[in-house]
Amino acid sequence: MSLQNEWHLKELIENEQLNMHRPIEEEYSFYQAVKTGDMNYIRENCQKGAFSDLEGVGILSKNSLTNMKYHFVITVAMITRYCVEGGMELEQAYRLSDFYILKLDTCSTVQSITELHDNMVLDFTGKMLLLKNSAIISKSILLCTDYIYSHIHDRITVNDLADHTNLSASYLSRLFKKELGIAISDYIREKKIEKAQNLLKYSHFSSIEIANYLSFSSQSHFIQTFENQVGLTPKKYRDKYYRTSW
């Protein structure tokens, strides 16, 4: 049978079975959320398992694992295009895309592909959010966020940041809250816990070692802070998410 005839037969069968795809608006909303740095939308999308829900999506391979990998590559390609349109530097977008596609090669389960997908979309979305914010954030606040990133393992105070930016502590606190919508101390705490999550996922460090590395006053303070922000204790988080490899 020729390819053309095979296609016509397939189209006839699928029309009879009413094998409908998801509305295009759902895909558009998803890619727009990545492009605009809408972390809340993307986190919610990941939490409800939208990527692994194959109802209403095309079947690209009869092998379930290969099918997921094909959909992953399509998603990365579309996200890359949307992010470039949104202002991401072309070379950065391609490098990021290549990185995740190479990681995809090592995935051997549907769950590992789903987890890689969620990390990928959150990474792209986070970078687009930073890009969006950098257009409206003052140089002083960018200096603060860079300092926090570089000294995440230290005990960081408002005075440290004030010295780094040559601003008074009170003025810097007001400016930070105005531009980022969050207090400096809360921002530092969030970034430390994000780092702790990565260490719990991908390292063998114990809770007390992570607490010391991130300069928490005690292990109990770290555990309480982590649970308040994440909703799980560090131990339960590691038990649920720890991965030795993809």
Side-chain angles (χ1 to χ4, degrees), residues 34-246:
V34 176
K35 178 180 177 179
T36 58
D38 188 344
M39 291 295 288
N40 290 332
Y41 182 100
I42 296 302
R43 283 197 184 101
E44 184 177 335
N45 184 276
C46 293
Q47 288 169 359
K48 70 181 184 182
F51 176 71
S52 57
D53 179 7
L54 297 181
E55 183 178 352
V57 301
I59 299 174
L60 306 178
S61 172
K62 294 179 180 179
N63 180 288
S64 60
L65 189 67
T66 304
N67 186 52
M68 289 287 283
K69 287 189 174 185
Y70 286 158
H71 279 290
F72 184 100
V73 172
I74 291 171
T75 302
V76 173
M78 291 297 295
I79 285 176
T80 301
R81 176 179 295 181
Y82 269 76
C83 288
V84 170
E85 289 177 355
M88 181 179 284
E89 199 270 327
L90 184 65
E91 189 59 31
Q92 180 191 17
Y94 283 148
R95 285 200 307 268
L96 202 57
S97 171
D98 292 347
F99 170 79
Y100 282 106
I101 291 174
L102 286 172
K103 293 291 288 184
L104 180 66
D105 270 348
T106 66
C107 292
S108 57
T109 65
V110 169
Q111 181 183 358
S112 64
I113 296 173
T114 301
E115 291 177 1
L116 182 63
H117 166 273
D118 292 351
N119 276 280
M120 179 270 296
V121 296
L122 288 168
D123 193 2
F124 269 100
T125 307
K127 285 178 170 56
M128 292 305 295
L129 179 60
L130 287 174
L131 183 65
K132 177 183 175 182
N133 287 340
S134 66
I136 58 174
I137 294 176
S138 64
K139 181 180 178 181
S140 296
I141 301 305
L142 285 175
L143 285 172
C144 284
T145 56
D146 286 344
Y147 183 94
I148 292 168
Y149 177 82
S150 301
H151 296 79
I152 196 67
H153 57 283
D154 295 329
R155 182 177 178 272
I156 307 169
T157 68
V158 176
N159 287 332
D160 293 331
L161 296 172
D163 291 341
H164 185 63
T165 56
N166 293 316
L167 297 173
S168 71
S170 59
Y171 176 76
L172 179 61
S173 296
R174 293 194 301 272
L175 184 64
F176 197 99
K177 181 67 178 291
K178 177 183 177 181
E179 295 192 7
L180 294 187
I182 185 173
I184 292 177
S185 58
D186 292 337
Y187 182 88
I188 294 170
R189 182 173 61 250
E190 285 189 2
K191 294 305 172 185
K192 283 182 177 288
I193 295 302
E194 286 176 10
K195 182 68 173 179
Q197 287 177 272
N198 286 330
L199 290 170
L200 288 166
K201 276 185 181 180
Y202 306 119
S203 79
H204 297 290
F205 293 136
S206 66
S207 288
I208 191 167
E209 287 173 325
I210 294 173
N212 290 336
Y213 174 74
L214 294 173
S215 296
F216 281 88
S217 58
S218 65
Q219 182 182 8
S220 60
H221 178 223
F222 166 63
I223 293 172
Q224 181 182 13
T225 304
F226 190 97
E227 186 172 12
N228 287 341
Q229 183 165 318
V230 179
L232 296 170
T233 64
K235 183 182 184 306
K236 289 181 178 179
Y237 185 88
R238 168 165 276 167
D239 290 343
K240 185 174 183 180
Y241 295 110
Y242 178 70
R243 287 287 178 271
T244 56
S245 68
W246 287 105

Side-chain angles (χ1 to χ4, degrees), residues 7 10 14-15 18-27 54-60 71:
W7 161 248
K10 176 179 172 62
E14 288 188 349
N15 282 339
L18 295 177
N19 184 20
M20 302 298 288
H21 284 66
R22 294 175 184 171
I24 192 65
E25 292 80 8
E26 289 186 19
E27 290 189 20
L54 297 181
E55 183 178 352
V57 301
I59 299 174
L60 306 178
H71 279 290

